[in-house]
Amino acid sequence: MVIPAYNEEKTIKNTLISYAGFLKDSFDKFEIIAVNDGSTDHTLREIIDFGCVKVISYSQNRGKGYAVKRGVLMATGDYIFFTDADCSFAPDNIRNAVLIMEKGLAKGVVGIRENRDSEYSLSRRILSAGLKKLLGVVLKIDNPDTQCGFKGFEKKTAKQLFSRTRVWDFGFDIELIYMSEILKIKLEKLPVTFRHRRESKVNPFLEIWRILRDIFIIKSKGVLGGNANKI
Ligand code: UDP
Ligand code: MG
């Protein structure tokens, strides 16, 4: 389980408690990798005090996409998941996701937030609706919730996809899904319950420009070329 964290001193400890508890009860072996993405608060101290997790930490804030990439490339488990540090997604979603992959129904599972609309502001909902339309037209992506913060993959698929991602901020989810479609990797959509725990770090108006830039990068550079391994 990879957990990216940027200024999450108030939330990270409870998230680690609930994920570690669930994983311990449900699997013989597991690892949690917490990635401190250049936090300026006490996130790193909270992670270290909790113990029992592998830690990646660097001083400059680089974005969720970069943080998740670093964590996934370090991960060793048969199934590699990532989720948000504010525990927006209940850990037991992992059980259904692993079952889907164990049965061979898909190489990865992407969450779809069922109750998203009731949890977000109007501006964020307008941004999401616009993004969905744009992704359908420009990248031919058929996914109603590319930005969902709960996703998991078989190890080989996770490494294959994340060794190629180049988008460092929130657009990396789009790149992942686009790449899977190009590479014909089957991902199953899993409805997940979502609880918006605290103020988002997403500024909808700033994010519009970043995501447009990311879509341009994804579309123009394709998924196979470039120096994608360099991080
Ligand atoms: N995050 C990160 N680096 C950043 C911004 C966010 O690692 O520069 C992490 C954040 O700590 C959280 C996840 O990405 O674990 C999702 O961020 P947030 O909750 O702000 O986004 P939202 O839930 O609104 O999509
Ligand atoms: Mg969040």
Side-chain angles (χ1 to χ4, degrees):
M1 173 56 63
V2 173
I3 304 182
Y6 174 55
N7 289 348
E8 299 280 3
E9 65 180 4
K10 293 201 177 75
T11 57
I12 187 75
K13 189 171 164 204
N14 283 335
T15 302
L16 292 174
I17 290 172
S18 60
Y19 271 88
F22 170 80
L23 291 169
K24 206 168 163 201
D25 291 345
S26 311
F27 299 97
D28 294 338
K29 280 167 84 180
F30 70 91
E31 71 184 354
I32 297 177
I33 300 177
V35 187
N36 172 38
D37 183 30
S39 300
T40 50
D41 66 0
H42 294 124
T43 298
L44 181 60
R45 189 190 297 164
E46 292 288 325
I47 296 170
I48 291 169
D49 285 353
F50 178 77
C52 308
V53 295
K54 295 183 183 171
V55 185
I56 296 175
S57 183
Y58 41 85
S59 54
Q60 195 191 334
N61 173 238
R62 297 209 161 110
K64 181 180 176 184
Y66 179 85
V68 173
K69 179 178 175 108
R70 287 284 301 266
V72 169
L73 293 183
M74 184 186 180
T76 60
D78 291 341
Y79 300 102
I80 302 176
F81 285 82
F82 64 85
T83 198
D84 293 352
D86 54 351
C87 215
S88 308
F89 303 92
D92 60 6
N93 289 307
I94 296 171
R95 193 175 288 128
N96 290 336
V98 167
L99 271 179
I100 289 169
M101 291 187 273
E102 269 179 357
K103 286 183 187 161
L105 300 175
K107 302 273 180 211
V109 173
V110 292
I112 305 290
R113 290 168 287 187
E114 283 183 308
N115 54 332
R116 182 165 52 136
D117 283 357
S118 57
E119 298 285 312
Y120 279 127
S121 63
L122 181 64
S123 54
R124 182 86 185 251
R125 291 195 313 247
I126 293 171
L127 175 65
S128 296
L131 180 64
K132 190 180 152 215
K133 275 233 149 30
L134 186 69
L135 292 178
V137 174
V138 180
L139 297 178
K140 310 269 179 291
I141 285 180
D142 174 28
N143 181 309
D145 191 15
T146 51
Q147 303 316 106
C148 179
F150 179 84
K151 294 186 175 70
F153 306 89
E154 287 180 358
K155 176 159 66 181
K156 193 173 155 216
T157 302
K159 303 281 180 181
Q160 185 185 8
L161 292 175
F162 277 93
S163 62
R164 292 190 163 113
T165 55
R166 304 170 250 231
V167 172
W168 283 9
D169 36 44
F170 288 102
F172 83 101
D173 290 286
I174 299 169
E175 192 181 21
L176 272 184
I177 291 174
Y178 181 65
M179 227 184 251
S180 328
E181 294 192 358
I182 300 281
L183 299 172
K184 307 234 175 316
I185 293 169
K186 171 136 173 51
L187 303 181
E188 183 77 19
K189 300 182 184 88
L190 178 71
V192 290
T193 321
F194 164 69
R195 281 176 60 190
H196 204 206
R197 298 285 183 157
R198 52 122 182 83
E199 268 314 290
S200 167
K201 302 201 170 63
V202 174
N203 170 341
F205 298 101
L206 178 63
E207 218 49 48
I208 288 173
W209 298 111
R210 287 202 182 142
I211 287 198
L212 288 176
R213 179 203 60 198
D214 292 344
I215 291 173
F216 177 76
I217 294 174
I218 295 164
K219 178 82 181 167
S220 62
K221 294 198 174 164
V223 297
L224 302 173
N227 191 4
N229 271 317
K230 203 171 169 195
I231 55 174

